[in-house]
Amino acid sequence: MADDIPARSTATVQEQAAEAEDEREAERSFRAAPKLNKSPLHGLWALTNRDLVKWYKNPIQLIISLVQPVVWLGLFGKAFNIGALFSSQPGVTTAEVNAVNLATFGTTSYFSYLGAGMLAFIILFTAAFSGMSVVWDRRFGFTNKALSTPVGRGAIVTSKILQSVVRSLIQAAIVLAIAVILGMDTASFTVLSVAGSFVILFLMAFGLSSLFVMLALRSSDWQTQMAVINLLNLPLLFASNAMLPVKIMPGWLQSVIRFNPVSYAVDGVRQMLLGSASATGYAVLAPLWVDFSVLVGFAALLGILGIVLSWRLLSR
Amino acid sequence: MSQQPLVKVEGLSKSFGALKAVDGVSFEIKEGEVFGFLGPNGAGKTTTISMLTTLLKPSGGRAEIAGLDIHKHPNEVRRVVGVVPQEYTADEDLTGLQNILLCADLYGIPRSNSRPHAMELLKLVELQDAANRKVSTYSGGMRRRLELASGLINYPRLLFLDEPTLGLDVQTRTAVWSYIRMLKEEYKMTLFLTTHYLEEADSLCDRIAIVDHGHIVKIGSPDELKASIGGDIIVVGVAEAEPDISEDIKNIPLVREVKKSGREYRIKSEVGEESSIKVIDLVRSKGLHVTRIALTKPSLDEAYLEFTGRSIREEEAGKMDAFKQRVTMMRARR
Ligand SMILES: Nc1ncnc2c1ncn2[C@@H]1O[C@H](COP(=O)(O)OP(=O)(O)OP(=O)(O)O)[C@@H](O)[C@H]1O
Ligand SMILES: [Mg+2]
């Protein structure tokens, strides 16, 4: 046809135009900034998720962190067979042994008593080591990278606390499952009591993680941080009722224990999981509502302190 | 609007205790310019970048980026600038793509935008095939390119590059240079880069500030810096030590300075090619014989050494460099 040629040239022109448009498109797509999320909490989930992904992609770390509480439970909890200790004495009946156990531990099985303590143990240790990831991030420049973006300073700190809380609770759930498999007394377990225990553990994890993250914020030196962890970890564990009842301890130690938030967490968990609230005598540290109040106060205080101080601690 | 400089720095200072790491620097950067900070180790280059990217609080002075005061509006400044730090900062347990997306999340860029953009950037730095590999498997050069890509994720108007080619082999260095040129030419991005490699500053920068001990000792285009040390140098060997014809040479147009040592004349001239021919003519017209002639153009090296001094720091700097490189490499291997 006669307009064959013009038609083709039109197509060429169109093609050229399209090409030019593509080019401009590429440039624009590179430069046209999208609509940004400017809420002060943006990036919080991204930061938390980063640590969690690193954690679950590396199961070795999870397994190693479970070894200690499980060894305590399996070896110490089983070996420390108080019932057998008494019943091996002549003239002691099983009923009498159970009565002594019940009065001392609030349960007839020391293993179950220790199981509740081990839930606090795993949370304490996970929280303590949450400070290490803060130190590594500073060391490897990740903190500076995050600080050079508009992400909230509070979000950086909160993410460290949250990832530690999530990890602690998951690990505590695993320890609880292992304890049950190994023979923990589940007679008093209800949905409510298990849920309540995890609320208590959550409060403790939140408070302790805030504490250790705060202590780590300024440090870029992992040796110092390890020293801090060791300095706090064992006293917090041993000066508590995690392994033995408070009231068999000397008076001075009892007063220390009453200042240790870990004790209230362990006490609350025991009362709910083992039904030891009704038990009298040595078993109970404080009424359940006191346990809860102390832990709410502890978590709120340290959480707020951590987040408020974060801005100051992160900017040099 | 484009008349306004993108960066305006006035008397910016930072002290660490008694040490004045940055001591009252002032400069401006125009939109679209590549501005270089050239200086020896410890000159205060990284400290300056840290202040401009709001990581460090200045102890004195002020700075504005895109009209935003870095002290009063740090968050807005952070949105405008991108940073490629001196050290590798990527998370080794994540993949390259995950690292960039994480960065994007921190800027609040929605994933619908950051995902394609991240892939685009990885392609730009030729890492698309390694996008889903853990960074711990990357080589040093790949890491540097990844840092470059993550520095670009927030569509910065101004990109800071802190020693972008430190510890890279020649191939990667050339690649990084070509990315930098592309950013300038195709995307009209403004760049602030620090380096202590002279060829790098010479070939990439529109303007250079030579810094030493926290001060800017000289600022200008590479050509201006070269010219400022006084033009070309002609060295003429003459067979006869006598007579001294220095005065006659000095009368040749464009010649600035003449020094005679033995049978050799060192001549500084504004245009070496022209003067050298006239010098030869002059020598012959006096009945003397030219034994050799050499013409050297001033390099940035000469300018740099003129302004920062030739002291032993060269050697020390070399050691520091090797040390830093080792640290960076150790991390690269980890
Ligand atoms: N946080 C700090 N505390 C104390 N001194 C510091 C700190 N950061 C930097 N300095 C000092 O400030 C000076 C300038 O350091 P800076 O890192 O800015 O130098 P630079 O020009 O980047 O050097 P390089 O080429 O080695 O990277 C150095 O003497 C350094 O020791
Ligand atoms: Mg530096």
Side-chain angles (χ1 to χ4, degrees):
Chain A
M1 272 169 76
D3 45 19
D4 226 344
I5 293 161
R8 205 182 294 147
S9 69
T10 315
T12 316
V13 168
Q14 272 167 1
E15 253 166 50
Q16 279 173 351
E19 249 171 52
E21 180 57 33
D22 277 355
E23 262 173 43
R24 258 174 274 137
E25 186 74 54
E27 189 165 314
R28 237 182 285 130
S29 80
F30 191 87
R31 281 203 284 163
K35 192 151 178 47
L36 299 179
N37 175 358
K38 295 188 179 178
S39 99
L41 285 183
H42 84 265
L44 174 61
W45 170 242
L47 286 169
T48 312
N49 192 40
R50 159 180 178 254
D51 280 321
L52 292 178
V53 166
K54 287 168 68 134
W55 175 63
Y56 68 70
K57 287 266 165 79
N58 184 5
I60 308 277
Q61 206 191 334
L62 173 67
I63 291 166
I64 288 175
S65 63
L66 288 175
V67 164
Q68 236 183 337
V70 169
V71 165
W72 272 99
L73 263 178
L75 298 183
F76 185 70
K78 289 292 182 187
F80 200 65
N81 192 346
I82 295 199
L85 204 68
F86 291 130
S87 51
S88 65
Q89 302 300 313
V92 180
T93 67
T94 311
E96 279 167 341
V97 170
N98 282 349
V100 169
N101 265 347
L102 201 59
T104 316
F105 300 115
T107 163
T108 51
S109 113
Y110 176 72
F111 181 80
S112 304
Y113 180 88
L114 186 68
M118 283 305 116
L119 297 183
F121 175 102
I122 183 95
I123 289 197
L124 173 60
F125 275 64
T126 310
F129 281 93
S130 66
M132 286 308 281
S133 85
V134 177
V135 175
W136 288 125
D137 276 1
R138 168 139 259 152
R139 189 83 181 187
F140 288 123
F142 185 84
T143 309
N144 268 351
K145 172 121 123 207
L147 287 173
S148 74
T149 72
V151 74
R153 316 292 99 163
I156 297 178
V157 176
T158 314
S159 77
K160 283 292 169 200
I161 299 171
L162 279 188
Q163 61 94 12
S164 158
V165 168
V166 172
R167 285 167 47 182
S168 319
L169 291 181
I170 292 174
Q171 292 180 343
I174 297 174
V175 170
L176 182 62
I178 295 175
V180 168
I181 292 167
L182 291 180
M184 187 172 179
D185 176 14
T186 58
S188 304
F189 279 29
T190 63
V191 172
L192 196 65
S193 73
V194 173
S197 308
F198 275 88
V199 171
I200 286 191
L201 293 174
F202 165 81
L203 292 170
M204 175 179 152
F206 190 84
L208 287 173
S209 304
S210 308
L211 174 69
F212 281 101
V213 166
M214 217 177 346
L215 290 173
L217 271 181
R218 283 215 77 131
S219 155
S220 58
D221 168 13
W222 65 270
Q223 276 120 333
T224 317
Q225 192 55 28
M226 279 304 286
V228 169
I229 291 173
N230 286 331
L231 191 73
L232 290 176
N233 238 347
L234 292 184
L236 279 173
L237 182 68
F238 286 116
S240 83
N241 52 357
M243 288 183 251
L244 291 167
V246 180
K247 288 175 187 162
I248 66 168
M249 298 181 189
W252 65 268
L253 190 53
Q254 286 196 27
S255 359
V256 175
I257 287 172
R258 284 184 185 282
F259 272 103
N260 183 353
V262 175
S263 307
Y264 294 90
V266 174
D267 189 53
V269 168
R270 274 195 191 123
Q271 292 190 40
M272 285 193 285
L273 283 187
L274 304 178
S276 47
S278 53
T280 50
Y282 286 174
V284 174
L285 178 74
L288 195 53
W289 70 267
V290 175
D291 293 337
F292 261 105
S293 318
V294 168
L295 287 165
V296 167
F298 170 68
L301 181 72
L302 283 164
I304 291 169
L305 204 63
I307 292 161
V308 167
L309 283 184
S310 61
W311 193 86
R312 268 179 50 109
L313 291 172
L314 278 177
S315 56
R316 291 208 234 184
Chain B
M1 212 188 86
S2 56
Q3 309 302 74
Q4 274 288 327
L6 186 65
V7 181
K8 220 158 98 183
V9 177
E10 280 165 24
L12 201 65
S13 308
K14 179 74 193 179
S15 311
F16 296 108
L19 174 79
K20 286 187 167 165
V22 175
D23 192 4
V25 300
S26 304
F27 58 89
E28 288 184 354
I29 306 177
K30 290 198 287 287
E31 186 114 45
E33 200 173 26
V34 179
F35 185 79
F37 244 41
L38 177 64
N41 289 123
K45 304 182 294 293
T46 302
T47 308
T48 307
I49 289 196
S50 298
M51 287 190 284
L52 292 178
T53 53
T54 75
L55 291 181
L56 268 183
K57 214 177 278 167
S59 12
R62 35 178 270 109
E64 268 179 21
I65 294 176
L68 299 159
D69 189 297
I70 56 164
H71 181 62
K72 291 189 200 120
H73 306 284
N75 258 348
E76 285 73 10
V77 170
R78 289 175 194 134
R79 287 199 183 93
V80 176
V81 306
V83 195
V84 180
Q86 187 168 347
E87 272 99 32
Y88 300 141
T89 60
D91 189 324
E92 317 211 328
D93 300 327
L94 303 180
T95 67
L97 180 61
Q98 283 171 334
N99 263 293
I100 299 195
L101 290 177
L102 175 60
C103 242
D105 293 342
L106 299 185
Y107 281 101
I109 301 170
R111 281 283 167 107
S112 59
N113 180 288
S114 63
R115 209 170 262 287
H117 188 37
M119 282 315 291
E120 202 180 332
L121 290 173
L122 284 168
K123 205 185 267 170
L124 181 87
V125 297
E126 296 158 80
L127 280 179
Q128 69 271 39
D129 297 332
N132 292 314
R133 258 165 58 189
K134 273 194 180 184
V135 173
S136 51
T137 68
Y138 281 24
S139 72
M142 293 167 82
R143 279 165 199 248
R144 182 64 74 195
R145 274 150 43 209
L146 178 65
E147 295 290 340
L148 188 59
S150 12
L152 291 168
I153 189 69
N154 65 323
Y155 308 85
R157 278 173 73 184
L158 168 65
L159 182 68
F160 289 94
L161 295 150
D162 198 356
E163 302 194 20
T165 57
L166 180 74
L168 300 184
D169 64 17
V170 180
Q171 284 83 354
T172 317
R173 181 181 301 184
T174 315
V176 168
W177 286 4
S178 77
Y179 304 144
I180 291 176
R181 287 202 188 94
M182 181 174 57
L183 291 175
K184 174 188 159 63
E185 273 147 32
E186 284 179 35
Y187 301 112
K188 312 284 176 257
M189 199 174 281
T190 311
L191 293 133
F192 182 120
L193 69 91
T194 75
T195 180
H196 42 231
Y197 298 126
L198 296 144
E199 351 73 277
E200 184 162 303
D202 195 3
S203 74
L204 292 178
C205 297
D206 299 316
R207 275 192 319 130
I208 298 171
I210 297 181
V211 285
D212 199 10
H213 301 299
H215 294 283
I216 292 184
V217 278
K218 192 79 191 177
I219 198 162
S221 72
D223 287 338
E224 281 166 5
L225 294 184
K226 289 175 202 165
S228 69
I229 64 160
D232 306 346
I233 292 165
I234 308 162
V235 179
V236 183
V238 177
E240 298 81 6
E242 294 295 325
D244 185 348
I245 55 167
S246 298
E247 281 309 309
D248 301 288
I249 296 176
K250 212 173 263 170
N251 288 333
I252 295 175
L254 300 177
V255 168
R256 287 234 196 111
E257 201 183 301
V258 182
K259 266 190 211 140
K260 178 174 187 290
S261 59
R263 292 162 198 261
E264 219 172 65
Y265 295 89
R266 278 180 73 86
I267 304 156
K268 259 191 193 174
S269 156
E270 277 164 48
V271 185
E273 289 87 346
E274 277 181 33
S275 307
S276 53
I277 294 169
K278 294 196 174 118
V279 170
I280 296 173
D281 288 346
L282 178 78
V283 172
R284 288 195 176 143
S285 72
K286 298 273 175 191
L288 309 175
H289 299 88
V290 177
T291 53
R292 74 184 198 95
I293 184 157
L295 169 62
T296 42
K297 292 268 168 194
S299 66
L300 199 53
D301 295 44
E302 310 265 347
Y304 179 71
L305 291 174
E306 178 118 349
F307 291 118
T308 58
R310 290 172 195 265
S311 59
I312 38 148
R313 214 166 17 166
E314 280 163 20
E315 199 194 324
E316 259 177 55
K319 269 189 212 148
M320 260 307 286
D321 213 18
F323 172 73
K324 270 199 321 205
Q325 234 162 287
R326 231 180 21 242
V327 171
T328 313
M329 284 305 158
M330 253 157 51
R331 284 185 198 173
R333 299 242 170 74
R334 191 170 265 290

